[in-house]
Amino acid sequence: MSEIPAKATESEDPSHGARFRAAADAVTETESVEMPPGDAMWQSSPPGSIYDYIKVASFSIGPDGLVDQWSLRAEQIFGIPAEQAVGMDPIEAFIDPELRERGQRKMAEILDGREWTGVVPFRMPGAQSGDAGRQGLAEVYVMPTRTEDAEKAAVCIVVDVRTLRSIETDLAASQSIFGQSPFGFLLIDTDLRVRRANEQFANTFGGTPDDHRGKGVHDYLQRPEAERVAATLRRVLETGNSITDMHVTGFVPGSDERRHWSINLYRVHSGSGRPIGIAWLGLDITARRAAAREAASARRNLALLNEAGARIGNSLDLETTARELLDVVVPGFCDLATVDLYQGLLAGDETPPGLADGSAELRRVAFASAVSDAPFAGSGKSVEVGAVHHYPFNSPCADALRTARPRIVPAEEGGLVQSTIAVPMVAHDTVVGLAQFARTKGSEPFGDRDRDLAVELAARAAVCIDNARLYRREHERALILQRSLLPPGDPVASGLDIACRYLPGNSSADRPSEVGGDWFDVIELPGHRTALVVGDVMGRGLRAAVAMGELRSAVRTLALLDLEPAEVLSALDEIARGLGAPGGVQQATRAARRPREADLSEVYLATCVYAVYDSVTRRCTFANAGHLPPVLVEPGESALMLDVPPGMPLGVGGEPFEEVEVELAEGALLALYTDGLVESRDHPLDEGLQAFVGTLTDPSAPLEDVCDHVLNTLDTHHGEDDIALLMARVQGLPAGSVGDWTLPREPRSVGKAREYARGQLLAWDLEPLVDTTELLVSELVTNALRYGEGEIRLRLLLDRTLVCEVWDSGLVQPRRRRARDTDEGGRGLQLVGLLSAAWGSRRTPRGKTVWFELPLPDGEHKVADPAEALLSLF
């Protein structure tokens, strides 16, 4: 037999055999992953085994050195059919001629009984001699044997070197990746048992990699999680669909800490494509999950804070603001929540008793639950919304109120709640109440971040609640101030039947109404005259109410000076211009000197209608400062708006006011009002005015009924502005209650005046007043003769009091002075002041009028003795 070719690798290099055996061992190990049931000694390999993949071929050589057996795989590798190969010299069959000599020598050695392993080049099927590009390499393992006749022979096993080298490379790469991977790496067989584990997995779960062979998922995970993972493994094995980033939760040995892993699963195939198991790559993501939870918690908290900023504080109602807080936190932050506020603060006290030690009474103003029928006991007792209660001194809630710091409330045994935070509601360094947030069993307990968020939410709500409390207090004070400035009870006036209504603007939790500046007044003037006033300070709030009070007081003062209506409004205009500047009314004088282009932001604007009614003449004089026109209804006539020039609002200045005088019929109805009665968002002002005029259809009805009819018809209970309504029915002074005489300018008119007064009083059956009236009339007529001008007019008026008026054309006003003991005169006006209930002087278009008033004699009023009065002056 000729020698083996020289290029063949000699058996002296043991690495070839070692690699071959390692590959065979690896193949055996890999192929043993799946063991079909049956006799392990005689089981058959399934189709597509690793032997097909590495193309293992075999043939045998007889004693003569020729091929006597040729396998089908050898046909595939060398491209020579069995019928041709049998009987051939294998060296000559597929070794190039230049290598045959050495090949023959090697063959001789083999047949002499030597084993040999080496790499042999061979011609690929279809290759020509010398065609190096078509040459292959075969690793050949030759084993000596003997025939039945004890002759030397050989069996040759041939493997395609390229396939073998690829397997070796793949195995080396797999070993490197498997061993050095930072992931926990498992190879799981078709029975869902661990076949191999890497060091990283063993480092996590303990032991060596070999200690984990044969274990299943139930050895690492608790039952519910293990069953879920096992079902997923079976699905991957059956379908071949990979699983990425599947989260698995469990515990590592010797630790109670819950761990989280991200698992990737994919089915593993043999080289021929047969499924042999599942690859498991696991990464511990506990820290990542914690960071993700922190980030999600931060995002949730930020979203809650943004929502709280948008939803809490939209109302100035305490209870509504508390409910807004709970609407934000339930169920986004907690499952149950309550808000308790100090009862004393709700009642308007600045510092409720017991506040310092936390024992003050609280009222539960809000409760919310995301769990149906879940009670919120809190400190061992159930508290209903609206109930007043207090927390025991040693309870966490009382401690939170005392220290203004949040406290954890222990869970009640057997209760639904597992975690509760009691958070004091602090606004401007003042504790206004307590908020409690609770999570039920099954929810995540509160952490430090949750506590900080609870404090922030409670603080935001506390500021809004405190603002609402302050608003309520100021609103109530403003209402008290406003109502205190309105006429008490039913106003009474001479010659007028009066009815009035004042309605503050309606408020709600979503749209609270501030106090307005509406007012009305009825002022009795000398001579049985009456001033009727209705006004409205523009703007709302306490400052508007205060400005209204100042203007009302100013109107009363100016009215008592008996100025004409236009003069009253002119003076009011100057006062209003000074209200907005520092110094208030004291700035009126400066305001009058300022240019008319003065900044209106410094003044309060107001509208006002001022009317003076004379019950003797039944004439009414009107002046208007930007107000709505009065409405007049005469008997048998339709209601109409009086054409009174509106003028400019008070506080603008620069324009004079006009007066309009109207004679009123007996029984006529006069209505003065503010814009809240006729103005609304739902309809324009003109429609409201026409609707108001349309309601005054029966002026003869009782005035109280007329007022109620107007308010009910105009649906004023939905009004947003204050409403002031003043109605007066004319009842002129009867002619028999008036005595009027003209006296010439001569001394004897004094006696004539006493005579007229005596006769009229006796006719009115007022004899007790005769002496006093004669004396005082004598004094006034004497002064008119001495200091006045023109003819003198004497008038006596009888209504609820007796009024005596003396008119003349002089402009000099009488001045009361103190006479010296040696003076013979100068005591007349002092005497008038002593004997009368009131006296005064006013200008008239044609001079002046000096008057005095005496109460009618009855059980309460004693008639003054003129003699005693005269003696007191000396």
Side-chain angles (χ1 to χ4, degrees), residues 280-422:
W280 166 303
L281 285 83
L283 178 65
D284 192 326
I285 60 170
T286 304
R288 190 177 78 187
R289 279 281 296 269
R293 284 198 304 271
E294 288 293 318
S297 176
R299 289 193 297 270
R300 182 199 64 187
N301 293 354
L302 181 60
L304 278 174
L305 289 176
N306 290 337
E307 185 180 5
R311 297 180 61 180
I312 300 176
N314 294 323
S315 167
L316 286 175
D317 180 76
L318 291 169
E319 289 78 4
T320 301
T321 303
R323 288 194 297 271
E324 288 170 347
L325 168 63
L326 301 194
D327 290 341
V328 170
V329 300
V330 178
F333 176 68
C334 60
D335 301 317
L336 302 166
T338 64
V339 174
D340 298 324
L341 299 180
Y342 276 121
Q343 177 67 7
L345 292 177
L346 293 174
D349 297 335
E350 289 298 327
T351 306
L355 182 61
D357 62 4
S359 63
E361 290 185 332
L362 299 104
R363 177 159 59 90
R364 181 147 296 175
V365 296
F367 166 76
S369 171
V371 183
S372 59
D373 300 328
F376 193 99
S379 295
K381 62 179 180 179
S382 179
V383 179
E384 300 294 332
V385 173
V388 177
H389 67 102
H390 71 274
Y391 292 105
F393 180 82
N394 58 350
S395 67
C397 293
D399 185 60
L401 291 170
R402 282 193 302 272
T403 62
R405 294 180 180 178
R407 290 291 183 266
I408 301 298
V409 179
E412 297 180 4
E413 186 176 355
L416 180 67
V417 176
Q418 74 153 353
S419 182
T420 303
I421 302 178

Side-chain angles (χ1 to χ4, degrees), residues 33-84:
V33 169
E34 183 176 358
M35 301 289 288
D39 190 344
M41 295 293 295
W42 297 101
Q43 61 183 355
S44 300
S45 297
S49 69
I50 193 170
Y51 298 104
D52 296 324
Y53 177 67
I54 62 176
K55 295 181 172 56
V56 178
S58 65
F59 62 90
S60 61
I61 301 174
D64 54 2
L66 302 178
V67 175
D68 59 6
Q69 289 183 356
W70 192 258
S71 69
L72 295 176
R73 183 61 57 82
E75 292 184 2
Q76 296 173 2
I77 292 178
F78 298 110
I80 301 175
E83 58 269 18
Q84 180 181 347

Side-chain angles (χ1 to χ4, degrees), residues 541-691:
L542 184 59
R543 295 182 63 196
V546 171
M548 176 271 286
E550 294 193 44
L551 288 178
R552 177 183 177 273
S553 299
V555 169
R556 280 192 158 264
T557 301
L558 295 170
L560 294 178
L561 293 177
D562 219 346
L563 302 176
E564 296 297 323
E567 293 178 320
V568 171
L569 293 186
S570 295
L572 277 180
D573 177 55
E574 301 298 338
I575 293 173
R577 295 179 65 203
L579 289 180
V585 179
Q586 297 177 1
Q587 296 296 321
T589 304
R590 299 181 191 175
R593 299 194 186 101
R594 286 192 305 225
R596 295 307 179 185
E597 300 82 28
D599 185 4
L600 294 183
S601 65
E602 296 183 359
V603 301
Y604 271 100
L605 299 181
T607 63
C608 180
V609 60
Y610 185 87
V612 176
Y613 169 71
D614 189 333
S615 63
V616 179
T617 63
R618 293 202 311 274
R619 300 188 70 83
C620 190
T621 304
F622 297 91
N624 192 351
H627 203 80
L628 296 173
V631 175
L632 177 65
V633 188
E634 294 192 330
E637 302 290 338
S638 299
L640 58 89
M641 289 182 286
L642 293 177
D643 187 14
V644 179
M648 299 298 291
L650 302 176
V652 175
E655 296 294 332
F657 298 97
E658 300 182 42
E659 293 181 355
V660 172
E661 188 175 70
V662 179
E663 184 173 353
L664 305 178
E666 184 73 19
L669 179 63
L670 181 65
L672 306 178
Y673 53 95
T674 56
D675 57 1
L677 181 68
V678 295
E679 193 172 20
S680 170
R681 296 180 181 179
D682 301 330
H683 54 72
L685 178 61
D686 290 343
E687 289 185 11
L689 287 171
Q690 294 301 323

Side-chain angles (χ1 to χ4, degrees), residues 827-868:
R827 296 177 177 86
L829 291 182
Q830 291 187 45
L831 186 62
V832 174
L834 286 173
L835 294 177
S836 64
W839 77 279
S841 174
R842 69 177 184 274
R843 293 189 180 92
T844 65
R846 292 177 298 277
K848 67 176 179 297
T849 299
V850 183
W851 57 271
F852 68 83
E853 182 177 348
L854 295 176
L856 300 181
D858 56 26
E860 297 181 2
H861 297 89
K862 181 180 179 181
V863 178
D865 186 353
E868 294 180 359

Side-chain angles (χ1 to χ4, degrees), residues 467-522:
N467 290 340
R469 178 185 66 83
L470 294 176
Y471 168 80
R472 175 184 288 183
R473 185 189 65 185
E474 295 303 317
H475 184 70
E476 291 174 351
R477 291 179 178 178
L479 282 177
I480 294 173
L481 170 64
Q482 187 181 47
R483 289 168 180 165
S484 68
L485 296 174
L486 296 175
D490 296 327
V492 178
S494 177
L496 292 176
D497 181 16
I498 294 177
C500 53
R501 293 288 188 275
Y502 174 78
L503 300 179
N506 291 326
S507 63
S508 63
D510 298 327
R511 188 181 59 198
S513 174
E514 292 188 274
V515 172
D518 294 16
W519 92 91
F520 67 91
D521 210 344
V522 178

